[in-house]
Amino acid sequence: MFQNMSLSPRQILDDIALCLVFFTRLPLPVFDFRGRGLAAAIWAAPVAGLAIGLIGAIVYATAERFGLAMGPAAALALAATLTTTGCLHEDGLSDVADGFGGGNSRGRKLEIMRDSRIGAYGAAALALSLLIRWSALSEFVDPTQALFALVAAHAASRGMLGAFMHLLPSARSEGLSAGAGAVSAETAVAGAVLGAIPLLLLGIGGAVFALILLGLLFAAFRALCLNQIGGQTGDTIGALQQVSEIAVLLVASVALS
């Protein structure tokens, strides 16, 4: 996989570090990426997802160890993942909900998505995202199940981001997504494969069902973005991560419980 991308061991480590810096708020040292951008490094996004999922699982296990019920443990685990990411993708989800729901033209939708204020559509989308994720995590009866679910959900949902950037044009000439650059087919495939591997933690049946569901969601959301704004933005990438994470957590709540 990495041979096709012509990556040296140093570049692999640099790409992982870049994705950890971009996708998390972990107190990491300052790195010199020597001009390497997010588009080239996006294959490593699932590694950042793995770290985020592990942090959530550790908090879940610690809460359970101190005698908390599954509901509060799930809430604390979710809070830990939100803190780790700085609500990066939740912001994208709310902006997309507001823009797609409240705009009556392509230009107006993009304008609303840039507005830092949150509207009714965005607030409802955030509330539903948090509620569904919490309820899915609350279904698990031991920390091992939560570990498998969180790692699979956070890795797989970020494995789709490179493919989304590769297959859709940028809806704006400027902005986070446009500034990231073009994602190559090899990078997109590498990220998708790397993100899919942790789905095996859900069992063969769970992994297959999750892959099918993620594929359907990807295709539907791609069509929606093309119809609404003619492409993708950083906000739509965040929204894709959110719906994908939810999908995997729901599958895990069935496959692991």
Side-chain angles (χ1 to χ4, degrees):
M1 179 168 62
F2 299 128
Q3 289 177 343
N4 292 337
M5 296 164 58
S6 301
L7 294 181
S8 67
R10 179 59 186 269
Q11 285 177 319
I12 291 173
L13 293 175
D14 282 349
D15 287 355
I16 292 173
L18 196 158
C19 283
L20 284 170
V21 168
F22 182 83
F23 288 107
T24 78
R25 296 296 180 268
L26 295 174
L28 300 169
V30 177
F31 293 96
D32 178 12
F33 298 114
R34 294 181 295 279
R36 194 156 178 85
L38 182 63
I42 196 71
W43 66 266
V47 180
L50 173 65
I52 296 163
L54 284 173
I55 290 171
I58 290 171
V59 171
Y60 189 103
T62 303
E64 192 271 343
R65 179 72 174 174
F66 279 93
L68 288 182
M70 297 302 101
L76 290 173
L78 185 56
T81 61
L82 295 175
T83 302
T84 303
T85 64
C87 296
L88 175 67
H89 303 302
E90 284 78 8
D91 180 68
L93 175 66
S94 65
D95 285 344
V96 168
D98 278 333
F100 287 14
N104 55 11
S105 67
R106 176 181 180 276
R108 180 56 180 155
K109 292 176 193 293
L110 289 171
E111 181 183 351
I112 292 173
M113 289 165 65
R114 275 204 159 163
D115 194 331
S116 60
R117 294 170 296 181
I118 186 170
Y121 287 106
L126 278 179
L128 287 172
S129 172
L130 292 170
L131 176 61
I132 296 171
R133 284 183 285 169
W134 172 81
S135 61
L137 287 171
S138 299
E139 290 295 311
F140 302 122
V141 298
D142 67 67
T144 301
Q145 293 175 336
L147 168 65
F148 290 172
L150 285 165
V151 167
H154 282 279
S157 62
R158 288 169 177 81
M160 304 173 68
L161 303 187
F164 195 71
M165 295 172 69
H166 173 71
L167 292 173
L168 274 80
S170 178
R172 293 193 181 101
S173 58
E174 76 288 337
L176 180 62
S177 178
V183 175
S184 69
E186 293 81 6
T187 300
V189 170
V193 171
L194 196 60
I197 292 172
L199 291 175
L200 293 173
L201 293 170
L202 309 183
I204 298 298
V208 171
F209 189 80
L211 282 172
I212 293 172
L213 183 56
L214 288 175
L216 292 174
L217 284 173
F218 185 97
F221 192 65
R222 176 178 181 272
L224 178 64
C225 290
L226 287 172
N227 177 264
Q228 294 285 309
I229 57 174
Q232 49 87 8
T233 68
D235 285 330
T236 63
I237 293 169
L240 174 65
Q241 187 281 325
Q242 287 284 281
V243 296
S244 301
E245 180 185 335
I246 289 170
V248 176
L249 285 176
L250 290 176
V251 173
S253 69
V254 176
L256 297 177
S257 62

